[in-house]
Amino acid sequence: CTLFWYRDLQHALGIGGPSAFLDKTCIHQVNMDKQRAGIKKLGAYLNSSDEMVILYTDLYLQKVWTAYELATSIVLKETDKLHVIPIIMPLVLTIAVVVLYFSGLLTIVFTAHGIKFGLMIGVILPSLVFIFALRKWARDLETMRKRLACFKCEDLHCACEEDRPLVYGNISGLMRAAGLAPAGTSELTALRAFELMVRRLLPDILSTSIGQVGLS
């Protein structure tokens, strides 16, 4: 009941909870004028936020707008306010819980029926499922770290190429305004400074969020 209805109960009692800005739902996805107006204010939304949570997939560092979100958050906020959560992580943890449950259940059933090597079977069979999930998780983490190490703005995809100059201009402007790129420097130089910042800071942020082995 607490898990599924706590926020609804809070709302019914008039108790306020934390507010969240979710770009996919808060920025208009159909009306292009409203969408552009929302995008122009993206930096203000992020600046007003206490923390930023990135639900990371391999596509995150391949899109120009998510790169802009990242630039804004890194420049305007302390790095400990930025949290990276790979979306596969909850799946791995769920599989771990299910494996532990069925491992114990099978061990009890096999032992109760006098099945030889019941304990071994009850542990090994579910563990194979967990090992498969861990291997997938390890491969995804390695891909993630390689992408961070090779991050370049020119590799970013943009659904509407007309938006690319706007995003590049905003990122380079942020870098100059924050003193992370020399004032008056070219857009290209400012973008290169941003790329270096991402390669330097994001691996540490990732490790802080999920631990060195990815299971924190």
Side-chain angles (χ1 to χ4, degrees):
C1 182
T2 300
L3 179 62
F4 294 105
W5 303 107
Y6 174 68
R7 292 299 179 195
D8 292 324
L9 182 60
Q10 242 190 349
H11 180 71
L13 295 175
I15 302 174
S19 299
F21 173 81
L22 182 61
D23 56 0
K24 185 72 173 180
T25 58
C26 295
I27 293 179
H28 211 289
Q29 300 297 308
V30 179
N31 187 305
M32 300 308 294
D33 291 335
K34 291 181 178 181
Q35 183 184 76
R36 186 164 291 275
I39 287 171
K40 286 182 177 179
K41 297 296 183 181
L42 189 57
Y45 292 133
L46 294 173
N47 189 43
S48 299
S49 302
D50 294 324
E51 296 179 303
M52 178 176 175
V53 178
I54 296 174
L55 301 179
Y56 186 92
T57 69
D58 195 43
L59 293 175
Y60 188 83
L61 288 179
Q62 298 183 54
K63 294 184 176 182
V64 70
W65 282 113
T66 48
Y68 174 47
E69 287 180 351
L70 180 62
T72 304
S73 183
I74 290 177
V75 169
L76 298 179
K77 298 292 181 183
E78 298 175 5
T79 54
D80 62 351
K81 301 298 183 182
L82 179 61
H83 308 283
V84 180
I85 303 176
I87 61 170
I88 194 177
M89 187 176 178
L91 176 61
V92 173
L93 296 177
T94 301
I95 290 175
V97 172
V98 172
V99 164
L100 287 173
Y101 172 78
F102 279 102
S103 176
L105 183 62
L106 288 173
T107 301
I108 293 171
V109 171
F110 289 156
T111 303
H113 287 78
I115 298 176
K116 194 175 182 180
F117 305 119
L119 177 60
M120 186 180 298
I121 296 172
V123 171
I124 291 177
L125 289 181
S127 295
L128 290 176
V129 177
F130 187 48
I131 290 170
F132 176 80
L134 282 179
R135 288 189 63 191
K136 172 87 167 58
W137 176 226
R139 287 195 296 268
D140 287 349
L141 276 179
E142 183 61 23
T143 300
M144 195 183 309
R145 290 183 173 121
K146 286 180 178 178
R147 189 167 298 283
L148 289 175
C150 302
F151 175 77
K152 289 184 178 180
C153 288
E154 57 259 37
D155 294 335
L156 298 173
H157 301 304
C158 189
C160 180
E161 281 298 323
E162 294 178 358
D163 291 337
R164 190 181 293 272
L166 172 63
V167 177
Y168 282 3
N170 286 348
I171 293 176
S172 58
L174 274 171
M175 296 297 291
R176 295 190 203 99
L180 298 172
T185 193
S186 68
E187 181 179 279
L188 181 60
T189 302
L191 291 175
R192 291 292 175 264
F194 169 62
E195 293 168 356
L196 291 173
M197 186 173 64
V198 169
R199 295 174 200 158
R200 178 172 54 88
L201 294 180
L202 221 57
D204 291 337
I205 294 171
L206 178 64
S207 295
T208 301
S209 297
I210 65 175
Q212 290 294 333
V213 297
L215 292 174
S216 293

